[in-house]
């Protein structure tokens, strides 16, 4: 594994040949000990990766980055947990944008990373709360790197290799990702909430663009993403109505 150029994220790197899920492994670690902040659990073979709200994350063995980072964002109240989501999503966006500088790299709410109209990365953040703060967080990240063939169930996948034709040494990418994560996490810790809010909107997929959405009940409507609520809901101005707020899985983009 390559040398980390960070203060704490990735200084402890627990790499495994294969794990069912790096997030599950991180949960088990936290249940029985207190790993140092920034501990990274990684594997290049993860058959049971998870996405948002019960969805699966498909990853061909030895082709992609799948890792989890353990953080202790006790400086955040439970109501500020979406600020952490923004910081992580922007960090991963910076990482991807550095590798595919010729492309538009966006964050699709809440935290998928898109190159053009194609998904290249998924993020799953699991928070553990105590009464008035976030106690611990597991940040799970899956980046499509060298995979070029995907199952038909995945609607619009891409990978770094599909975007720029290069094949990557997976282990060499981990330090770069850790650097970006640490930089954004330290910005968050310094209280730069307004900057993060502005940058998130600046890179938000389809922000202020006329978009066809579908509600959970199947109804479709035209609207424009107008912002993000403090609790992380997607705010959409409906063409023939006012502004509405949506939670994860209550709305999807059709066009």
């Amino acid at each position: 594994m390559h040398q980390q150029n960070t203060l704490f994220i990735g200084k402890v790197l627990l790499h495994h040949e294969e794990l069912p899920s790096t997030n599950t492994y991180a949960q088990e670690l936290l249940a029985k000990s207190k790993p140092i902040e920034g501990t990274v659990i990684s594997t290049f073979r993860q058959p049971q990766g998870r996405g948002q709200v019960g969805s699966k994350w498909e990853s061909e063995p030895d082709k992609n980055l799948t890792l989890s980072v353990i953080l202790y964002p006790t400086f955040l109240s439970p109501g500020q947990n979406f600020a952490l989501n923004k910081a992580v999503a922007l960090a991963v966006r910076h990482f991807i944008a550095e590798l595919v500088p010729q492309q538009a790299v966006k964050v699709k709410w809440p935290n998928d990373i898109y190159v053009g109209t194609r998904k290249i990365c998924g993020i799953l953040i699991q928070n553990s709360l105590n009464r008035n703060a976030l106690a611990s967080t597991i940040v799970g990240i899956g980046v499509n790197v060298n995979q070029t063939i995907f199952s038909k169930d995945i609607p619009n996948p891409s990978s770094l290799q599909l975007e720029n034709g290069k094949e990557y040494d997976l282990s060499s990418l981990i330090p770069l990702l850790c650097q970006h994560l640490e930089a954004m996490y330290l910005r968050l810790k310094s209280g730069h909430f307004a900057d993060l809010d502005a940058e998130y909107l600046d890179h938000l997929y389809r922000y202020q663009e006329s978009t066809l959405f579908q509600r959970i009940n199947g109804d479709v409507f035209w609207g424009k993403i107008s912002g993000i609520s403090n609790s992380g809901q997607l705010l959409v101005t409906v063409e023939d109505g006012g502004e509405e707020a949506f939670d994860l899985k209550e709305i999807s983009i059709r066009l």
Side-chain angles (χ1 to χ4, degrees):
M1 285 290 166
H2 293 247
Q3 189 61 40
Q4 291 293 349
N5 186 23
T6 52
L7 297 171
F8 60 100
I9 291 184
K11 283 295 188 196
V12 174
L13 176 60
L14 307 175
H15 184 75
H16 294 258
E17 279 297 303
E18 181 171 316
L19 283 174
S21 156
T22 57
N23 267 33
T24 301
Y25 188 89
Q27 283 174 311
E28 290 164 359
L29 270 187
L30 280 166
K32 57 179 189 255
S33 65
K34 187 166 182 183
I36 70 163
E37 183 165 48
T39 295
V40 172
I41 298 104
S42 75
T43 184
F44 303 144
R45 296 183 177 196
Q46 178 178 263
Q48 293 165 33
R50 288 176 292 159
Q52 297 281 5
V53 194
S55 50
K56 247 182 120 281
W57 179 258
E58 178 199 293
S59 183
E60 190 181 333
D62 301 315
K63 295 282 189 181
N64 305 313
L65 280 187
T66 43
L67 57 81
S68 297
V69 186
I70 294 173
L71 300 171
Y72 301 111
T74 52
F75 53 89
L76 294 175
S77 71
Q80 293 173 310
N81 66 357
F82 201 75
L84 176 62
N85 177 88
K86 287 177 182 171
V88 169
L90 287 170
V92 181
R93 194 212 77 84
H94 280 291
F95 165 74
I96 300 290
E98 188 171 326
L99 297 168
V100 285
Q102 70 281 19
Q103 307 277 37
V105 182
K106 297 284 186 178
V107 179
K108 180 171 176 277
W109 174 84
N111 52 25
D112 286 339
I113 309 301
Y114 270 46
V115 177
T117 58
R118 298 170 301 281
K119 180 175 173 177
I120 199 165
C121 171
I123 298 169
L124 177 63
I125 298 176
Q126 296 176 287
N127 295 313
S128 166
L129 310 177
N130 60 25
R131 278 196 306 281
N132 51 13
L134 294 184
S136 64
T137 295
I138 299 165
V139 176
I141 299 169
V143 182
N144 295 333
V145 180
N146 294 323
Q147 186 167 342
T148 56
I149 299 166
F150 294 85
S151 79
K152 299 282 186 287
D153 307 340
I154 301 175
N156 53 342
S158 191
S159 67
L160 291 174
Q161 189 171 339
L162 284 173
E163 291 301 330
N164 60 21
K166 295 180 189 168
E167 188 163 342
Y168 291 85
D169 169 36
L170 295 176
S171 59
S172 71
L173 294 177
I174 294 175
L176 180 62
L177 177 56
C178 289
Q179 285 172 38
H180 284 294
L181 286 168
E182 184 170 285
M184 294 304 286
Y185 186 65
L186 291 174
R187 277 178 65 186
L188 180 69
K189 199 169 186 174
S190 303
H192 292 230
F193 294 105
D195 288 354
L196 289 170
D197 291 348
E199 189 175 338
Y200 185 83
L201 288 181
D202 198 36
H203 296 297
L204 187 60
Y205 182 67
R206 299 204 68 92
Y207 179 57
Q208 297 284 26
E209 294 176 28
S210 189
T211 300
L212 187 63
F213 294 98
Q214 182 169 338
R215 298 179 192 274
I216 199 166
N217 66 2
D219 290 349
V220 295
F221 67 95
W222 286 94
K224 288 183 181 179
I225 296 172
S226 49
I228 306 292
S229 75
N230 287 337
S231 60
Q233 291 174 302
L234 187 70
L235 303 177
V236 177
T237 302
V238 182
E239 258 187 19
D240 52 358
E243 188 175 70
E244 292 185 45
F246 296 90
D247 285 318
L248 190 62
K249 299 294 184 188
E250 287 184 347
I251 189 175
S252 57
I253 290 175
R254 288 290 303 275
L255 193 65

